[in-house]
Every structure is written in structure tokens, then in C-alpha cells.
Amino acid sequence: MHKFDNSFLANTYGRLPISFSHGEGMWLYAEDGKKYLDMLGGVAVNTLGHSHPQFIAGLKDQIQKLIHTSNYYFIKEQQLLAKELVSITKMKSVFFSNSGCEANEAAIKFARLYGSKKKITEPEIIVMENSFHGRTMATLTATGNRKAQAGFEPLLKGFMRVAFDDIPSIQNIAKSKNNVIAIMLEPIQGEGGINTPHNIENYLAELRKICDENDWLLILDEVQTGIGRTGKFFAFQHSKIIPDILSSAKGLGSGVPIGATLINEKVSNVIEPGKHGSTFGGNPLACRAGNLTIKILQDNKLQQNAMIMGKKLLNLLSMQLKSKGYIKEIRGLGLMIGIEFTVSCYQLMSMALSKGLLINVTSERVVRLVPPLIIGEEEISYFMQQFELLLKDFEKEVVNG
Ligand code: PLP
């Protein structure tokens, strides 16, 4: 079978003609031996890069002992990870699942349960334009992308949409509606094009205030922004607020699938056995991966590294690209950086392969950089040099072509 033969796979992805045999640190190695700088990190997943020795040793140890038992029993690794996440966030408890959409699905269900205890029978959750929360029916409905939703109607009831970073329209809803139970958003929108609020601290503070005044829940989807990526463990920590519900996944297991929904005390109080569950959720292997990720991240100050290297990368990009007319904006926080073009730039993903780079384009015009948090100065220099060459090709082929 040809290595790029996908005849037996459902046709859900457009893929680049490359596959990798192994990885080390910031680098992925293709089957022909050529190496690529991984500026995508499995879409903000490979927090520790590839084949991190301490991570591998810990996982090996866990696999030899125990991979899976059942949530019918106590699970030590799950308790440890929950305790760690609670201590980092000052929230109350954690529900474990296996992915970002599941973490958000649980967030939506818990919010509805909380609403039902308040006797709200037709609850609505305020969600944002250009948001991305996942592909299950509830999270797809919450997602602000008509293309992703098309063909899957009927969507769920109970969601209303406002623009991101727009407080007045939420204040208007608060004046006119009495069935709202929550606001759900990403503190920085990932798939939607690395959209950052004008002032993340003020935006979250305003949202918190509206939620408190109206007894709504503030749900933060930190699936992409979490685990040190923006320079804080969670992006909400750039502000002084604490959300009521927070979802995490992606980078939490450094590649081992895991999702987590963190809840505060008042949400914890409405949950009881039998209300929600997951066969795999929080199994010993996934939680060990989570515990190892957090330990290695803290021991090596990777959050701080994300902040420092992110600033450096953002500055270099701003300097190097400022004269290019087809670049609209460069933005982001920590190692979550978007370069917005004035034209479609999807082709950059495949063109980048010839320059030894793995990059991603989201929302058609935004190059998204979400590399592992271990990135160093040398790799940033390499990236800048190769990206410049890539843009030269892009100018020849697309801008002037
Ligand atoms: N929420 C956010 C903010 C995301 O970026 C994603 C994935 O890109 C998801 C949820 C869905 O996560 P998953 O693909 O693990 O279901």
C-alpha cells in the first residue's frame, strides 16, 4: 500500500503529503529522514515537544503498572491530577474526559444542570462569533462557524451568539432576557484566527461582573489557551477573576488524550453520581500523562519560557514583516501567535514543507503558530530565516503571480 493511500479512511481531513517516523524535541523526522521544525505542536498538544525523556520514562513506568481500570474504583493518578489542577486554579473539583469537545460538552451539561436547579426550563448560553468548541452536536452548536455546522442541522436549541470582545451586546441581553444561564468563550480564540480581546484582563473582569450580577455562569474554554501556552498556566490568570467552569484538553496530556472540566463550588454542588460519565475519562495512563506534563512544565519553567520566547517571536515577526503590504496584523500572547494576511494563505502550509517548517493556517488568512513550550532561541532564529524564504516564494507565486 502506498504510504499516502487513504482509501480505507473516512474522508474527513485534507492532509499534506507527508508522514513522520519519529520526533525529538522541537523536530519531527519524515520517513525519508528529512527534519522539520514543528511550529504546530500537534495543534497546541505537544507541550513538551517530542520524545521528552522524563515524560517517556514516566509513561513507560505507568504502562508497565496500569493503563486502565474503571471509574467504578478510586484512581490514584486521577486524584493527584485533580488536586494539582484545583490548586493551580483555586476551583473546586474536576471531571475527566478524553478530548476538548468532551470537556466542553460536560461544561454545557453542568451549566444546564445548574440552570435546571434554578427552575430555568428553556436555558440559553451566550456564545461568541468565530468561536470553536468542538464537533459534537452541543459543541458544534456553540461553535461560531457556519461552514463547520452546515449539513448537521438541526442544531441544538439554547445558544445565542454575540461578537467576541463586545460587552455592550451582552449587557443588552442581560436587560431583556431571564433565561440565560451562562456565557461561554475562549479567552483568546484559536481556530477563529488567534483573536485576542483588546484587553484580556478588563474583558474577563467585565464578563465576570455581568455573570455575578445576573447569577450566570462564566465558562472558559481553555482547551487551546491552557497549560502554559499564553505565559500563565491558564489564560484567565492574566486577569484577577476565576471562572465558574473551565475546560482543558490538548496540551494537558502532551499527546496522550485527556480532557478536564474544572468546576467551582456552586457547580460542584449540583453534581451527583450518575449525572455524567466516561468509560476512559481520567484513566491511570491519561492522568499520569497529565501529572508528568505539569511537573515537567513547572520544573523547567516552561510557562515563563512560553512568555519570553513568545514575546521574542512576536517582536521579530513584527519587525521583519511590517513592510509587507499583504500582512494585516501580527498578534497573540505567549506561544499562541497569529499572522493575519490580507489574502488567503492556505497554500503556505504545503509550501512550508520545502523550507523544513510545519505551520498551520486557520480561518483562511491566519498563519497560526502554537509550537511546543520548549522552543529556544536557536529554533526561533531558524524559523525566522526559513519563514522569510517562504514568504519570498509566496510573493512570487501568489502576491505577484
Ligand atoms: N475548544 C477549543 C478552544 C479548541 O481549540 C478545540 C480544538 O481545536 C476544541 C475545543 C476541541 O477539541 P478536540 O478536538 O480535542 O475535541
Side-chain angles (χ1 to χ4, degrees), residues 250-310:
K250 284 193 184 280
L252 180 56
S254 288
V256 178
I258 184 167
T261 310
L262 284 66
I263 50 183
N264 71 359
E265 182 153 18
K266 67 181 178 186
V267 181
S268 296
N269 287 342
V270 303
I271 293 166
E272 55 195 72
K275 278 295 178 201
H276 195 49
S278 161
T279 298
F280 291 122
N283 86 7
L285 178 64
C287 288
R288 182 75 182 267
N291 286 318
L292 287 162
T293 301
I294 296 178
K295 171 138 183 47
I296 297 168
L297 181 143
Q298 288 173 340
D299 288 353
N300 295 281
K301 299 195 169 38
L302 293 183
Q303 237 166 263
Q304 290 87 330
N305 192 58
M307 182 59 101
I308 295 165
M309 291 300 144

Short mmCIF file of all heavy atoms in Angstrom, two decimals, residues 250-310:
data_model
loop_
_atom_site.label_atom_id
_atom_site.label_comp_id
_atom_site.label_asym_id
_atom_site.label_seq_id
_atom_site.Cartn_x
_atom_site.Cartn_y
_atom_site.Cartn_z
N LYS A 250 -6.14 19.22 25.01
CA LYS A 250 -4.95 19.41 24.19
C LYS A 250 -3.63 19.20 24.94
O LYS A 250 -3.20 18.09 25.14
CB LYS A 250 -4.99 20.78 23.52
CG LYS A 250 -5.96 20.86 22.32
CD LYS A 250 -5.73 22.12 21.52
CE LYS A 250 -6.72 22.31 20.38
NZ LYS A 250 -6.41 21.52 19.20
N GLY A 251 -2.98 20.29 25.38
CA GLY A 251 -1.64 20.21 25.96
C GLY A 251 -1.56 19.51 27.30
O GLY A 251 -0.46 19.22 27.77
N LEU A 252 -2.69 19.22 27.92
CA LEU A 252 -2.67 18.65 29.27
C LEU A 252 -1.98 17.29 29.33
O LEU A 252 -1.32 16.96 30.31
CB LEU A 252 -4.12 18.56 29.80
CG LEU A 252 -4.34 18.00 31.20
CD1 LEU A 252 -3.54 18.76 32.26
CD2 LEU A 252 -5.83 18.02 31.56
N GLY A 253 -2.13 16.50 28.28
CA GLY A 253 -1.50 15.16 28.28
C GLY A 253 -0.29 15.08 27.37
O GLY A 253 0.24 13.98 27.15
N SER A 254 0.16 16.21 26.83
CA SER A 254 1.32 16.24 25.92
C SER A 254 1.22 15.20 24.81
O SER A 254 2.23 14.66 24.37
CB SER A 254 2.63 15.99 26.69
OG SER A 254 2.94 17.10 27.45
N GLY A 255 0.01 14.90 24.37
CA GLY A 255 -0.17 13.95 23.27
C GLY A 255 -0.98 12.73 23.67
O GLY A 255 -1.52 12.03 22.82
N VAL A 256 -1.05 12.45 24.95
CA VAL A 256 -1.92 11.37 25.43
C VAL A 256 -3.31 12.00 25.61
O VAL A 256 -3.43 13.02 26.29
CB VAL A 256 -1.42 10.77 26.76
CG1 VAL A 256 -2.38 9.69 27.25
CG2 VAL A 256 -0.02 10.19 26.57
N PRO A 257 -4.36 11.43 24.97
CA PRO A 257 -5.68 12.08 25.00
C PRO A 257 -6.23 12.23 26.41
O PRO A 257 -6.28 11.26 27.18
CB PRO A 257 -6.57 11.14 24.18
CG PRO A 257 -5.61 10.38 23.33
CD PRO A 257 -4.37 10.22 24.15
N ILE A 258 -6.65 13.44 26.73
CA ILE A 258 -7.27 13.71 28.03
C ILE A 258 -8.06 15.03 27.93
O ILE A 258 -7.65 15.95 27.22
CB ILE A 258 -6.22 13.79 29.17
CG1 ILE A 258 -6.91 13.98 30.53
CG2 ILE A 258 -5.17 14.86 28.94
CD1 ILE A 258 -6.00 13.76 31.73
N GLY A 259 -9.18 15.07 28.62
CA GLY A 259 -9.95 16.31 28.73
C GLY A 259 -10.28 16.52 30.20
O GLY A 259 -10.37 15.55 30.96
N ALA A 260 -10.46 17.77 30.60
CA ALA A 260 -10.79 18.03 32.00
C ALA A 260 -11.75 19.20 32.07
O ALA A 260 -11.56 20.20 31.37
CB ALA A 260 -9.52 18.36 32.79
N THR A 261 -12.79 19.06 32.86
CA THR A 261 -13.73 20.16 33.10
C THR A 261 -13.63 20.52 34.57
O THR A 261 -13.96 19.71 35.44
CB THR A 261 -15.17 19.73 32.75
OG1 THR A 261 -15.16 19.15 31.43
CG2 THR A 261 -16.12 20.93 32.77
N LEU A 262 -13.13 21.72 34.84
CA LEU A 262 -12.96 22.17 36.22
C LEU A 262 -14.18 22.99 36.62
O LEU A 262 -14.66 23.81 35.83
CB LEU A 262 -11.71 23.05 36.35
CG LEU A 262 -10.36 22.34 36.35
CD1 LEU A 262 -10.05 21.69 35.03
CD2 LEU A 262 -9.24 23.32 36.70
N ILE A 263 -14.67 22.76 37.83
CA ILE A 263 -15.88 23.47 38.26
C ILE A 263 -15.68 24.07 39.65
O ILE A 263 -14.92 23.54 40.46
CB ILE A 263 -17.11 22.55 38.24
CG1 ILE A 263 -16.84 21.23 38.97
CG2 ILE A 263 -17.53 22.26 36.81
CD1 ILE A 263 -17.99 20.24 38.93
N ASN A 264 -16.39 25.16 39.90
CA ASN A 264 -16.28 25.78 41.23
C ASN A 264 -17.28 25.13 42.19
O ASN A 264 -17.98 24.17 41.83
CB ASN A 264 -16.43 27.30 41.14
CG ASN A 264 -17.84 27.73 40.81
OD1 ASN A 264 -18.72 26.89 40.63
ND2 ASN A 264 -18.05 29.02 40.71
N GLU A 265 -17.36 25.68 43.38
CA GLU A 265 -18.16 25.02 44.41
C GLU A 265 -19.64 24.96 44.06
O GLU A 265 -20.29 23.92 44.19
CB GLU A 265 -17.96 25.74 45.75
CG GLU A 265 -18.72 25.06 46.86
CD GLU A 265 -18.10 25.26 48.21
OE1 GLU A 265 -17.28 26.18 48.36
OE2 GLU A 265 -18.44 24.48 49.12
N LYS A 266 -20.19 26.08 43.57
CA LYS A 266 -21.64 26.07 43.34
C LYS A 266 -22.02 25.11 42.22
O LYS A 266 -23.11 24.54 42.24
CB LYS A 266 -22.19 27.49 43.14
CG LYS A 266 -21.78 28.22 41.92
CD LYS A 266 -22.43 29.62 41.93
CE LYS A 266 -22.00 30.41 40.72
NZ LYS A 266 -22.47 31.79 40.76
N VAL A 267 -21.15 24.92 41.24
CA VAL A 267 -21.45 23.95 40.19
C VAL A 267 -21.23 22.53 40.73
O VAL A 267 -22.04 21.63 40.48
CB VAL A 267 -20.60 24.22 38.93
CG1 VAL A 267 -20.93 23.22 37.83
CG2 VAL A 267 -20.83 25.65 38.43
N SER A 268 -20.16 22.35 41.50
CA SER A 268 -19.90 21.03 42.10
C SER A 268 -21.12 20.55 42.90
O SER A 268 -21.45 19.36 42.90
CB SER A 268 -18.71 21.08 43.05
OG SER A 268 -17.54 21.39 42.35
N ASN A 269 -21.79 21.51 43.55
CA ASN A 269 -22.90 21.14 44.43
C ASN A 269 -24.10 20.54 43.70
O ASN A 269 -24.92 19.88 44.33
CB ASN A 269 -23.38 22.36 45.23
CG ASN A 269 -22.38 22.72 46.31
OD1 ASN A 269 -21.53 21.89 46.69
ND2 ASN A 269 -22.43 23.95 46.81
N VAL A 270 -24.22 20.77 42.39
CA VAL A 270 -25.40 20.22 41.68
C VAL A 270 -25.10 18.85 41.05
O VAL A 270 -25.97 18.24 40.46
CB VAL A 270 -25.94 21.19 40.60
CG1 VAL A 270 -26.32 22.53 41.20
CG2 VAL A 270 -24.97 21.35 39.44
N ILE A 271 -23.86 18.40 41.19
CA ILE A 271 -23.50 17.14 40.53
C ILE A 271 -23.55 15.98 41.50
O ILE A 271 -23.10 16.08 42.64
CB ILE A 271 -22.11 17.29 39.87
CG1 ILE A 271 -22.24 18.29 38.73
CG2 ILE A 271 -21.61 15.96 39.34
CD1 ILE A 271 -20.95 18.79 38.20
N GLU A 272 -24.12 14.89 41.03
CA GLU A 272 -24.18 13.68 41.88
C GLU A 272 -23.94 12.45 41.01
O GLU A 272 -24.05 12.53 39.77
CB GLU A 272 -25.55 13.60 42.56
CG GLU A 272 -26.69 13.66 41.59
CD GLU A 272 -28.02 13.95 42.27
OE1 GLU A 272 -28.22 15.10 42.72
OE2 GLU A 272 -28.84 13.03 42.33
N PRO A 273 -23.60 11.31 41.62
CA PRO A 273 -23.29 10.11 40.85
C PRO A 273 -24.40 9.77 39.85
O PRO A 273 -25.58 9.84 40.18
CB PRO A 273 -23.14 9.02 41.91
CG PRO A 273 -22.70 9.77 43.12
CD PRO A 273 -23.41 11.10 43.06
N GLY A 274 -23.97 9.43 38.63
CA GLY A 274 -24.92 9.03 37.60
C GLY A 274 -25.27 10.16 36.65
O GLY A 274 -25.86 9.94 35.59
N LYS A 275 -24.90 11.41 36.99
CA LYS A 275 -25.28 12.54 36.16
C LYS A 275 -24.43 12.67 34.90
O LYS A 275 -24.86 13.25 33.91
CB LYS A 275 -25.21 13.85 36.97
CG LYS A 275 -26.44 14.09 37.82
CD LYS A 275 -27.66 14.29 36.93
CE LYS A 275 -28.93 14.48 37.73
NZ LYS A 275 -30.12 14.18 36.91
N HIS A 276 -23.20 12.22 34.97
CA HIS A 276 -22.35 12.30 33.78
C HIS A 276 -21.24 11.26 33.94
O HIS A 276 -20.98 10.81 35.06
CB HIS A 276 -21.76 13.71 33.64
CG HIS A 276 -21.17 13.97 32.28
ND1 HIS A 276 -21.84 13.69 31.11
CD2 HIS A 276 -19.96 14.48 31.89
CE1 HIS A 276 -21.08 14.02 30.07
NE2 HIS A 276 -19.94 14.50 30.51
N GLY A 277 -20.60 10.88 32.85
CA GLY A 277 -19.55 9.88 32.99
C GLY A 277 -18.81 9.64 31.70
O GLY A 277 -19.15 10.20 30.65
N SER A 278 -17.77 8.82 31.77
CA SER A 278 -16.96 8.48 30.60
C SER A 278 -16.18 7.21 30.93
O SER A 278 -15.56 7.11 32.00
CB SER A 278 -15.98 9.62 30.32
OG SER A 278 -14.92 9.18 29.51
N THR A 279 -16.22 6.23 30.04
CA THR A 279 -15.51 4.97 30.29
C THR A 279 -14.02 5.20 30.50
O THR A 279 -13.42 4.78 31.47
CB THR A 279 -15.71 3.99 29.12
OG1 THR A 279 -17.10 3.71 29.01
CG2 THR A 279 -14.93 2.69 29.32
N PHE A 280 -13.43 5.92 29.52
CA PHE A 280 -11.98 6.12 29.57
C PHE A 280 -11.57 7.29 30.46
O PHE A 280 -10.42 7.38 30.89
CB PHE A 280 -11.43 6.41 28.17
CG PHE A 280 -11.48 5.24 27.22
CD1 PHE A 280 -12.17 5.33 26.02
CD2 PHE A 280 -10.83 4.06 27.52
CE1 PHE A 280 -12.20 4.28 25.13
CE2 PHE A 280 -10.86 2.99 26.63
CZ PHE A 280 -11.55 3.10 25.43
N GLY A 281 -12.50 8.24 30.63
CA GLY A 281 -12.15 9.54 31.23
C GLY A 281 -11.36 9.40 32.52
O GLY A 281 -11.82 8.80 33.48
N GLY A 282 -10.19 10.00 32.56
CA GLY A 282 -9.38 10.01 33.77
C GLY A 282 -8.72 8.69 34.08
O GLY A 282 -8.44 8.38 35.25
N ASN A 283 -8.43 7.90 33.07
CA ASN A 283 -7.80 6.61 33.38
C ASN A 283 -6.34 6.81 33.83
O ASN A 283 -5.77 7.88 33.67
CB ASN A 283 -8.01 5.58 32.26
CG ASN A 283 -7.00 5.64 31.14
OD1 ASN A 283 -6.01 6.37 31.20
ND2 ASN A 283 -7.25 4.86 30.10
N PRO A 284 -5.77 5.78 34.45
CA PRO A 284 -4.43 5.96 35.06
C PRO A 284 -3.38 6.46 34.07
O PRO A 284 -2.57 7.33 34.42
CB PRO A 284 -4.08 4.56 35.57
CG PRO A 284 -5.41 3.93 35.84
CD PRO A 284 -6.33 4.46 34.78
N LEU A 285 -3.40 5.96 32.84
CA LEU A 285 -2.38 6.38 31.87
C LEU A 285 -2.54 7.85 31.51
O LEU A 285 -1.57 8.62 31.55
CB LEU A 285 -2.46 5.50 30.61
CG LEU A 285 -1.48 5.89 29.51
CD1 LEU A 285 -0.03 5.70 29.98
CD2 LEU A 285 -1.73 5.08 28.24
N ALA A 286 -3.77 8.26 31.17
CA ALA A 286 -4.00 9.65 30.76
C ALA A 286 -3.67 10.60 31.91
O ALA A 286 -3.05 11.66 31.70
CB ALA A 286 -5.45 9.83 30.32
N CYS A 287 -4.05 10.24 33.13
CA CYS A 287 -3.80 11.14 34.25
C CYS A 287 -2.32 11.18 34.62
O CYS A 287 -1.80 12.22 35.04
CB CYS A 287 -4.67 10.75 35.45
SG CYS A 287 -6.38 11.19 35.15
N ARG A 288 -1.64 10.07 34.46
CA ARG A 288 -0.19 10.09 34.68
C ARG A 288 0.46 11.05 33.67
O ARG A 288 1.36 11.83 34.02
CB ARG A 288 0.39 8.68 34.54
CG ARG A 288 1.89 8.59 34.80
CD ARG A 288 2.22 8.68 36.30
NE ARG A 288 3.65 8.65 36.55
CZ ARG A 288 4.36 7.54 36.82
NH1 ARG A 288 3.75 6.37 36.91
NH2 ARG A 288 5.66 7.61 37.02
N ALA A 289 -0.04 11.00 32.41
CA ALA A 289 0.49 11.92 31.39
C ALA A 289 0.25 13.36 31.83
O ALA A 289 1.11 14.23 31.67
CB ALA A 289 -0.16 11.65 30.04
N GLY A 290 -0.92 13.62 32.39
CA GLY A 290 -1.24 14.96 32.87
C GLY A 290 -0.33 15.38 34.02
O GLY A 290 0.20 16.49 34.04
N ASN A 291 -0.14 14.47 34.96
CA ASN A 291 0.72 14.78 36.11
C ASN A 291 2.17 15.03 35.67
O ASN A 291 2.83 15.95 36.16
CB ASN A 291 0.68 13.63 37.13
CG ASN A 291 -0.63 13.62 37.91
OD1 ASN A 291 -1.12 14.66 38.32
ND2 ASN A 291 -1.22 12.44 38.09
N LEU A 292 2.63 14.19 34.75
CA LEU A 292 4.01 14.36 34.26
C LEU A 292 4.15 15.69 33.52
O LEU A 292 5.15 16.41 33.69
CB LEU A 292 4.37 13.21 33.32
CG LEU A 292 4.63 11.85 33.98
CD1 LEU A 292 4.55 10.73 32.95
CD2 LEU A 292 6.00 11.84 34.67
N THR A 293 3.15 16.00 32.69
CA THR A 293 3.21 17.26 31.92
C THR A 293 3.35 18.44 32.87
O THR A 293 4.21 19.31 32.70
CB THR A 293 1.95 17.43 31.05
OG1 THR A 293 1.86 16.32 30.15
CG2 THR A 293 1.98 18.72 30.25
N ILE A 294 2.50 18.47 33.90
CA ILE A 294 2.52 19.61 34.82
C ILE A 294 3.85 19.67 35.57
O ILE A 294 4.45 20.73 35.73
CB ILE A 294 1.33 19.55 35.80
CG1 ILE A 294 0.02 19.68 35.01
CG2 ILE A 294 1.42 20.66 36.85
CD1 ILE A 294 -1.24 19.58 35.84
N LYS A 295 4.33 18.51 36.02
CA LYS A 295 5.59 18.50 36.78
C LYS A 295 6.76 18.99 35.92
O LYS A 295 7.54 19.86 36.35
CB LYS A 295 5.86 17.09 37.32
CG LYS A 295 7.22 16.92 37.94
CD LYS A 295 7.18 16.11 39.23
CE LYS A 295 8.54 15.98 39.91
NZ LYS A 295 9.32 17.20 40.04
N ILE A 296 6.84 18.47 34.72
CA ILE A 296 7.96 18.84 33.85
C ILE A 296 7.85 20.32 33.46
O ILE A 296 8.85 21.06 33.44
CB ILE A 296 8.02 17.93 32.60
CG1 ILE A 296 8.29 16.48 33.04
CG2 ILE A 296 9.09 18.39 31.61
CD1 ILE A 296 8.11 15.43 31.97
N LEU A 297 6.61 20.75 33.22
CA LEU A 297 6.37 22.15 32.88
C LEU A 297 6.83 23.08 34.02
O LEU A 297 7.52 24.07 33.81
CB LEU A 297 4.88 22.33 32.59
CG LEU A 297 4.36 23.71 32.17
CD1 LEU A 297 3.27 23.55 31.12
CD2 LEU A 297 3.79 24.47 33.33
N GLN A 298 6.48 22.68 35.24
CA GLN A 298 6.85 23.53 36.39
C GLN A 298 8.34 23.47 36.67
O GLN A 298 8.99 24.49 36.88
CB GLN A 298 6.03 23.13 37.62
CG GLN A 298 4.57 23.56 37.48
CD GLN A 298 3.66 23.03 38.58
OE1 GLN A 298 4.01 22.05 39.26
NE2 GLN A 298 2.51 23.63 38.74
N ASP A 299 8.91 22.25 36.68
CA ASP A 299 10.34 22.10 36.98
C ASP A 299 11.20 22.89 35.99
O ASP A 299 12.27 23.37 36.34
CB ASP A 299 10.76 20.63 36.92
CG ASP A 299 10.22 19.85 38.11
OD1 ASP A 299 9.65 20.49 39.02
OD2 ASP A 299 10.33 18.60 38.11
N ASN A 300 10.75 22.96 34.75
CA ASN A 300 11.56 23.61 33.71
C ASN A 300 11.08 25.02 33.37
O ASN A 300 11.52 25.59 32.36
CB ASN A 300 11.57 22.74 32.45
CG ASN A 300 12.27 21.41 32.69
OD1 ASN A 300 13.49 21.34 32.69
ND2 ASN A 300 11.48 20.38 32.96
N LYS A 301 10.17 25.55 34.19
CA LYS A 301 9.64 26.91 33.99
C LYS A 301 9.20 27.14 32.53
O LYS A 301 9.54 28.16 31.91
CB LYS A 301 10.69 27.94 34.40
CG LYS A 301 11.10 27.88 35.86
CD LYS A 301 11.83 29.14 36.27
CE LYS A 301 12.05 29.32 37.74
NZ LYS A 301 12.37 28.15 38.54
N LEU A 302 8.46 26.19 32.00
CA LEU A 302 8.07 26.29 30.59
C LEU A 302 7.04 27.38 30.33
O LEU A 302 6.96 27.93 29.24
CB LEU A 302 7.56 24.93 30.08
CG LEU A 302 8.62 23.83 30.01
CD1 LEU A 302 8.03 22.55 29.43
CD2 LEU A 302 9.82 24.28 29.18
N GLN A 303 6.25 27.69 31.36
CA GLN A 303 5.30 28.80 31.23
C GLN A 303 6.05 30.10 30.97
O GLN A 303 5.70 30.86 30.08
CB GLN A 303 4.63 28.97 32.59
CG GLN A 303 3.15 28.86 32.59
CD GLN A 303 2.71 28.70 34.03
OE1 GLN A 303 2.49 27.60 34.48
NE2 GLN A 303 2.60 29.81 34.75
N GLN A 304 7.08 30.32 31.80
CA GLN A 304 7.90 31.53 31.64
C GLN A 304 8.58 31.52 30.27
O GLN A 304 8.67 32.55 29.60
CB GLN A 304 8.96 31.63 32.74
CG GLN A 304 8.40 31.92 34.12
CD GLN A 304 7.99 30.65 34.88
OE1 GLN A 304 7.59 29.64 34.28
NE2 GLN A 304 8.07 30.69 36.20
N ASN A 305 9.04 30.33 29.87
CA ASN A 305 9.68 30.22 28.56
C ASN A 305 8.71 30.60 27.45
O ASN A 305 9.06 31.29 26.50
CB ASN A 305 10.20 28.79 28.34
CG ASN A 305 11.11 28.70 27.13
OD1 ASN A 305 12.12 29.39 27.05
ND2 ASN A 305 10.72 27.88 26.15
N ALA A 306 7.45 30.16 27.61
CA ALA A 306 6.42 30.48 26.61
C ALA A 306 6.25 31.99 26.52
O ALA A 306 6.13 32.56 25.43
CB ALA A 306 5.10 29.82 26.96
N MET A 307 6.26 32.66 27.66
CA MET A 307 6.09 34.11 27.68
C MET A 307 7.27 34.80 27.01
O MET A 307 7.11 35.65 26.13
CB MET A 307 5.96 34.57 29.15
CG MET A 307 5.73 36.04 29.32
SD MET A 307 4.25 36.58 28.48
CE MET A 307 3.12 36.70 29.83
N ILE A 308 8.51 34.39 27.40
CA ILE A 308 9.71 35.06 26.89
C ILE A 308 9.90 34.79 25.39
O ILE A 308 10.10 35.70 24.59
CB ILE A 308 10.96 34.59 27.69
CG1 ILE A 308 10.83 35.05 29.14
CG2 ILE A 308 12.24 35.11 27.08
CD1 ILE A 308 11.79 34.36 30.10
N MET A 309 9.81 33.50 25.03
CA MET A 309 10.02 33.15 23.62
C MET A 309 8.88 33.69 22.75
O MET A 309 9.09 34.08 21.61
CB MET A 309 10.13 31.62 23.46
CG MET A 309 11.38 31.05 24.07
SD MET A 309 12.86 31.75 23.30
CE MET A 309 13.95 31.85 24.68
N GLY A 310 7.68 33.69 23.31
CA GLY A 310 6.54 34.22 22.57
C GLY A 310 6.74 35.69 22.25
O GLY A 310 6.50 36.13 21.13
#
